[in-house]
């Protein structure tokens, strides 16, 4: 009996080791197991030419950030439906194969292997987070299949540490530092403030990235940073630090973080009498923000985002209408819009390439210029990042209002 | 002025720690068990309060009372189901069971309602802000302080002036002898769990009102901090738990106020280590005979 148990345990450990091996191999070092997977895939691309064009979606449909993945999937479905209704691309219909990566990097690798070798897709859309997207870099290079992340904002998704570009990796969203830069220019030019306090989540690269670029732009253009403080995700008590910030009398407070903490920070700041404008990034875009902070406290709070459904631009309103029609009147958020845009971005490239050959698609994606999508006018730079505008939103009595658009 | 504001901030945090710490200290005093599930009872209290305000549309005080009653019941059930059988086992078994119960409650809650956080309704308390000489004192902070002090006085009364309190002190001193004297030890232990858990439940509701956000894993850190507070004050001592909680709240606030907000949690545990090295019995620890 004991022997059986110990064999089982041993097997479990071995199985775990194999899985873990797959996960780590994608971060750069080549690994025999993945190499063989890689060799089988490119040969089978012929299947894609038969009637439909298969594109993969590797998304967080369950697990910790499943709401992101599901929102993106809704956007993808809408875009594919529209394209197919209009006659497809070069006469071919689009077909999406969705795989759940369970919000886990190792699962994301497995999903990509399945999509590339089994389903023979010509390109993959996903994943929602930078980490899960980075788990596909090695595979996309080996198999020469383009990957487009709708919302992976980390620099390292498209660019390696040595500065070289991952040829097959693309994204539809702007990168983190851009948001900080936009916020700084908005504070200086539109709100006309001279001093600012920065309050960051020291456990988050996202927060640190936004804060660093905010600081750079703000100080370079004549602003002064009067205090820099930090918190850690999951904190609930910010009063003592906020009291300290209030003591330095900032005209503006920049809090790039996620809504769970920033919502509480806004509430506690207003209770302590800190009434200066507070601004953050797209991490503040959640309905929970209003519940946590309260509608009153949120007045004079701004955020940068990929797009706003309130933007009067007719292209955007057309998308909002179509989305509401398909999803029972649900207002599309930025994840919906970026999922939708990713398909449009890919479809445009396939059309221009005139073929569904992944390498040709990759070249066409890299050459994308002035493509009108919902989240702005998209041009791909040499680092495979889109150059496009950011929307600035303001909370007014608990509702996000479109304030302005800032171009890069 | 800033310093007085910080003292107010510190006392508010401290009184929540103190309320949770009281439960730790009472249970430890009577059965020598560090009840790691206590922080999760605190979480359950917060959720019961939340649902009684939002779903049952109860007022604040009825919600607080309902939460205290239900968490008291939960405390008794935990004791009966998980700890009672282990009362004569090695202490490590009870400790591991307590950790198991803690994880069971946390992930059971996630299974039932999901992991997403919930926000306490903002209108539960009047939005009153007092401005005194440049200090801002809001209704929440006053309410926390008022309820905490009231509950602590009530607890002192129960322990020192009532029959059941006398039984608790006797069982804590020597359970076997107490049994020989005709005290129902099982009932007394249940009462201890009930009182300790209901205080944690009250702390949960107060926490929700003051900090707005509650989630199924919210009990872990305040639970650990309250444990530190209980050790700081001398585990087993009721005044010690109160003083330890307040002290810890103030220390944390002043660490942040000095610009070291990232060191706040570390400071709490440095204090724990220092206390264990230099005065393992805690600040009020010499008072062994009075512990409950």
């Amino acid at each position: 009996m004991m022997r059986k148990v110990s064999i089982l345990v041993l097997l479990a450990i071995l199985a775990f080791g194999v899985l873990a091996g797959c996960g780590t191999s994608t971060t750069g070092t080549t690994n025999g197991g993945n190499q063989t997977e890689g060799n089988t895939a490119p040969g089978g691309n012929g299947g894609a030419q038969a009637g439909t064009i298969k594109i993969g979606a590797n998304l967080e449909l369950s697990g910790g950030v499943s709401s992101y993945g599901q929102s993106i999937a809704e956007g993808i479905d809408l875009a594919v439906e529209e394209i197919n209704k209009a006659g497809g691309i070069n006469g071919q219909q689009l077909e999406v194969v969705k795989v759940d990566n369970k919000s886990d990097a190792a699962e994301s690798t497995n999903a990509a292997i399945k999509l590339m070798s089994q389903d023979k897709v010509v390109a993959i859309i996903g994943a929602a987070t930078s980490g899960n997207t980075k788990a596909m870099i090695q595979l996309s290079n080996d198999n020469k299949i383009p990957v487009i992340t709708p919302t992976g904002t980390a620099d390292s998704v498209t660019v390696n540490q040595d500065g070289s570009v991952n040829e097959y990796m693309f994204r539809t969203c702007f990168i983190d530092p851009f948001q900080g830069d936009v916020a700084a220019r908005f504070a200086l030019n539109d709100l006309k403030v001279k001093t600012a306090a920065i309050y960051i989540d020291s456990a988050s690269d996202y927060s640190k990235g936004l804060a660093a670029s905010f600081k750079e732009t703000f100080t370079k253009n004549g602003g002064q940073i009067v205090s820099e403080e930090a918190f850690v995700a999951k904190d609930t008590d910010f009063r003592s630090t906020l009291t300290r910030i209030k003591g330095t009398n900032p005209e503006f407070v920049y809090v790039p973080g996620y809504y769970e903490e920033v919502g509480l920070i806004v509430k506690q700041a207003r209770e302590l009498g800190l009434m200066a404008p507070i601004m953050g990034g797209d991490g503040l875009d959640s309905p929970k923000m209003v519940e946590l902070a309260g509608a009153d406290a949120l007045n004079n709070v701004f955020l940068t985002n990929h797009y706003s459904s309130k933007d009067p631009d007719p292209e955007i309103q057309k998308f909002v209408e179509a989305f509401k029609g398909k999803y029972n009147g649900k207002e599309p958020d930025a994840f919906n819009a970026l999922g939708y845009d990713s398909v449009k971005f890919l479809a445009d490239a396939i059309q221009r390439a005139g073929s569904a050959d992944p390498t040709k698609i990759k070249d066409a994606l890299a050459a994308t210029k002035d493509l009108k999508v919902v989240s702005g006018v998209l041009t791909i730079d040499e680092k495979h990042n889109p150059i496009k505008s950011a929307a600035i939103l303001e909370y007014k009595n608990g509702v996000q209002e479109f304030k302005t658009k800032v171009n890069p | 002025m800033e310093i007085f504001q910080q003292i107010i901030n510190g006392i508010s945090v401290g009184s929540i720690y103190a309320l949770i710490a009281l439960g730790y200290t009472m249970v430890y005093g009577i059965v020598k068990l560090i009840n790691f599930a206590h922080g999760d009872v605190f979480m359950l209290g917060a959720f019961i309060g939340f649902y009684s305000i939002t779903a049952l549309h109860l007022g604040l005080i009825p919600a607080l009372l309902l939460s205290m009653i239900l968490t008291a019941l939960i405390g008794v059930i935990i004791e009966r189901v998980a700890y009672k059988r282990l009362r004569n086992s090695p202490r490590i078994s009870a400790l591991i069971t307590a950790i198991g119960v803690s994880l069971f409650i946390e992930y059971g809650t996630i299974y039932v309602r999901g992991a997403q956080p919930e926000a306490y309704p903002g209108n539960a308390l009047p939005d009153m802000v007092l401005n005194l000489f440049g200090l801002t004192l809001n209704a929440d902070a006053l309410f926390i302080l008022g309820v905490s002090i009231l509950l602590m006085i009530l607890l002192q009364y129960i322990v020192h002036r009532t029959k059941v309190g006398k039984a608790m002190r006797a069982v804590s001193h020597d359970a076997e002898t107490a049994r020989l004297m005709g005290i129902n030890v099982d009932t007394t232990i249940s009462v201890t769990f009930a009182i300790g858990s209901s205080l944690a439940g009250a702390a949960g509701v107060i926490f929700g009102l003051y900090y707005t956000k509650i989630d199924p894993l919210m009990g872990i850190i305040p639970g650990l901090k309250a444990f530190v507070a209980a050790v700081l004050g001398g585990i087993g001592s009721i005044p010690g738990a109160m003083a330890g909680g307040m002290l810890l709240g103030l220390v944390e606030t002043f660490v942040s106020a000095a610009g070291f907000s990232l060191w706040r949690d570390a400071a709490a545990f440095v204090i724990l280590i220092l206390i264990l090295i230099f005065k393992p019995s805690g600040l009020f620890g010499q008072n062994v005979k009075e512990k409950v």
Side-chain angles (χ1 to χ4, degrees):
Chain A
M1 186 61 206
M2 270 323 277
R3 207 191 168 93
K4 262 186 192 161
V5 171
S6 58
I7 289 171
L8 271 176
V9 169
L10 200 69
L11 276 174
I13 292 169
L14 278 175
F16 190 75
V18 170
L19 281 177
C22 282
T24 50
S25 67
T26 57
T27 53
T29 52
T30 41
N31 162 304
N34 273 343
Q35 209 63 46
T36 49
E37 289 279 6
N39 289 337
T40 56
N45 276 321
Q49 301 294 339
T52 60
I53 301 174
K54 265 193 186 176
I55 57 175
N58 174 4
L59 293 170
E60 289 78 348
L61 300 175
S62 66
V65 289
S66 58
S67 81
Y68 296 166
Q70 278 160 6
S71 286
I72 292 171
E74 287 172 349
I76 291 177
D77 285 343
L78 177 64
V80 169
E81 192 182 290
E82 283 181 8
I83 289 170
N84 285 343
K85 236 181 229 166
I89 306 169
N90 303 332
Q92 283 179 302
Q93 294 277 298
L94 279 185
E95 185 191 336
V96 191
V97 185
K98 281 190 215 124
V99 182
D100 179 12
N101 64 32
K102 300 175 184 142
S103 304
D104 180 88
E107 287 288 340
S108 171
T109 307
N110 294 339
I113 291 174
K114 179 189 175 286
L115 288 170
M116 290 175 185
S117 57
Q118 217 172 320
D119 298 311
K120 317 266 190 249
V121 299
V122 299
I124 293 179
I125 295 176
T129 66
S130 299
N132 295 342
T133 308
K134 278 155 75 176
M136 288 189 273
I137 293 177
Q138 185 71 40
L139 286 164
S140 79
N141 278 335
D142 290 350
N143 295 327
K144 305 202 183 312
I145 300 288
V147 170
I148 305 169
T149 171
T151 53
T153 51
D155 238 354
S156 49
V157 167
T158 55
V159 183
N160 291 315
Q161 245 170 2
D162 59 12
S164 63
V165 176
N166 287 314
E167 251 191 294
Y168 285 87
M169 303 296 292
F170 295 87
R171 71 177 112 219
T172 329
C173 53
F174 45 61
I175 55 169
D176 286 344
F178 180 60
Q179 292 197 60
D181 179 65
V182 167
R185 278 185 284 147
F186 173 74
L188 288 166
N189 303 336
D190 294 64
L191 299 177
K192 314 254 179 250
V193 299
K194 287 272 165 281
T195 58
I198 300 180
Y199 194 15
I200 63 166
D201 174 355
S202 70
S204 143
D205 286 341
Y206 164 76
S207 185
K208 284 192 277 192
L210 263 65
S213 67
F214 173 85
K215 191 178 169 185
E216 197 190 322
T217 309
F218 195 72
T219 48
K220 212 194 276 168
N221 293 300
Q224 191 199 348
I225 306 288
V226 287
S227 106
E228 281 182 67
E229 300 287 343
F231 61 92
V232 210
K234 299 282 163 210
D235 273 0
T236 44
D237 189 84
F238 307 94
R239 288 184 171 85
S240 42
T241 312
L242 286 168
T243 305
R244 195 176 142 87
I245 291 176
K246 192 188 165 202
T248 61
N249 276 324
E251 290 176 84
F252 180 83
V253 184
Y254 190 53
V255 193
Y258 294 106
Y259 63 91
E260 273 195 46
E261 285 82 25
V262 182
L264 302 185
I265 289 175
V266 169
K267 176 172 188 268
Q268 295 176 13
R270 299 306 191 219
E271 278 172 7
L272 289 165
L274 182 61
M275 296 302 176
I278 297 178
M279 188 160 183
D282 57 341
L284 269 58
D285 183 21
S286 163
K288 279 272 174 217
M289 187 75 189
V290 187
E291 285 177 39
L292 289 172
D296 284 347
L298 268 182
N299 284 327
N300 215 9
V301 172
F302 302 87
L303 66 140
T304 46
N305 209 344
H306 302 271
Y307 111 112
S308 162
S309 62
K310 304 275 170 55
D311 192 330
D313 187 317
E315 281 284 319
I316 294 179
Q317 286 313 315
K318 211 176 93 195
F319 161 71
V320 172
E321 281 313 307
F323 190 89
K324 280 183 174 168
K326 186 167 163 72
Y327 297 106
N328 304 323
K330 192 184 148 203
E331 189 104 355
D333 61 18
F335 286 94
N336 296 136
L338 288 168
Y340 179 88
D341 281 358
S342 300
V343 177
K344 287 293 171 85
F345 175 39
L346 177 61
D348 169 72
I350 297 175
Q351 193 146 29
R352 278 187 290 112
S355 127
D357 176 54
T359 313
K360 285 186 183 147
I361 296 176
K362 181 262 300 183
D363 291 336
L365 282 172
T368 302
K369 210 167 172 296
D370 296 330
L371 173 69
K372 183 97 180 77
V373 287
V374 169
S375 58
V377 179
L378 196 139
T379 298
I380 292 296
D381 70 7
E382 72 279 6
K383 286 181 173 172
H384 289 192
N385 295 322
I387 307 171
K388 58 176 191 176
S389 54
I392 290 180
L393 310 174
E394 179 178 7
Y395 275 103
K396 279 204 177 129
N397 299 318
V399 181
Q400 281 186 11
E401 304 261 329
F402 176 69
K403 178 95 179 156
T404 176
K405 228 185 234 181
V406 177
N407 291 311
Chain B
M1 265 309 105
E2 208 178 297
I3 188 151
F4 292 110
Q5 185 71 57
Q6 296 290 20
I7 291 174
I8 293 171
N9 297 339
I11 289 177
S12 311
V13 189
S15 39
I16 291 175
Y17 289 159
L19 275 182
I20 312 176
L22 286 171
Y24 265 113
T25 243
M26 288 174 68
V27 167
Y28 182 83
I30 204 152
V31 280
K32 300 282 176 294
L33 164 74
I34 295 168
N35 180 14
F36 270 112
H38 194 64
D40 303 298
V41 174
F42 157 78
M43 176 271 291
L44 288 176
F47 273 102
I48 294 168
F50 173 77
Y51 288 119
S52 30
I53 294 173
T54 55
L56 302 178
H57 304 290
L58 292 183
L60 188 54
I61 301 296
L64 184 71
L65 291 176
L66 182 64
S67 171
M68 287 179 73
I69 293 166
L70 290 182
T71 45
L73 208 65
I74 290 165
V76 173
I77 293 170
I78 291 174
E79 198 273 331
R80 283 286 152 100
V81 173
Y83 302 148
K84 196 177 167 193
R85 280 157 231 274
L86 296 172
R87 219 174 274 155
N88 297 317
S89 320
R91 281 219 248 153
I92 188 83
S93 316
L95 183 73
I96 292 169
T97 307
I99 294 171
V101 170
S102 161
L103 290 169
F104 174 78
I105 297 176
E106 284 160 17
Y107 291 93
T109 310
I110 290 180
Y111 179 77
V112 171
R113 64 163 298 283
Q116 76 280 12
E118 217 60 78
Y120 254 65
N123 52 5
L125 272 181
D127 219 4
M128 187 183 65
V129 177
L130 277 178
N131 268 304
L132 284 176
F133 316 108
L135 293 179
T136 44
L137 246 177
N138 60 356
D140 309 17
L142 286 176
F143 181 78
I144 289 181
L145 204 61
V147 172
S148 306
I149 290 173
L150 195 74
L151 289 174
M152 288 180 208
I153 292 172
L154 195 67
L155 180 64
Q156 278 296 67
Y157 177 80
I158 292 174
V159 170
H160 289 282
R161 293 276 183 277
T162 64
K163 216 170 169 183
V164 70
K166 200 180 234 176
M168 283 159 75
R169 283 181 290 152
V171 172
S172 145
H173 191 62
D174 187 340
E176 277 315 301
T177 316
R179 200 191 297 277
L180 290 177
M181 295 294 152
I183 291 172
N184 188 336
V185 173
D186 286 338
T187 312
T188 312
I189 290 174
S190 290
V191 169
T192 311
F193 268 88
I195 296 177
S197 302
S198 74
L199 291 175
V205 176
I206 293 173
F207 182 95
L209 290 169
Y210 194 50
Y211 292 118
T212 317
K213 191 188 79 172
I214 59 170
D215 68 84
L217 299 181
M218 68 185 266
I220 300 172
I221 291 294
L224 280 175
K225 297 274 183 65
F227 172 64
V228 174
V231 174
L232 180 62
I235 194 151
S237 149
I238 288 177
M242 287 193 263
M246 290 291 179
L247 198 63
L248 192 65
L250 284 168
V251 166
E252 279 192 14
T253 302
F254 278 100
V255 168
S256 301
F260 302 105
S261 54
L262 296 179
W263 290 90
R264 191 176 59 186
D265 290 1
F269 294 102
V270 167
I271 291 176
L272 176 65
I273 293 166
L274 290 178
I275 280 282
L276 290 176
I277 294 173
F278 294 107
K279 201 169 183 316
S281 57
L283 298 177
F284 290 64
Q286 66 276 56
N287 201 359
V288 196
K289 284 191 175 143
E290 280 294 304
K291 76 188 175 186
V292 163

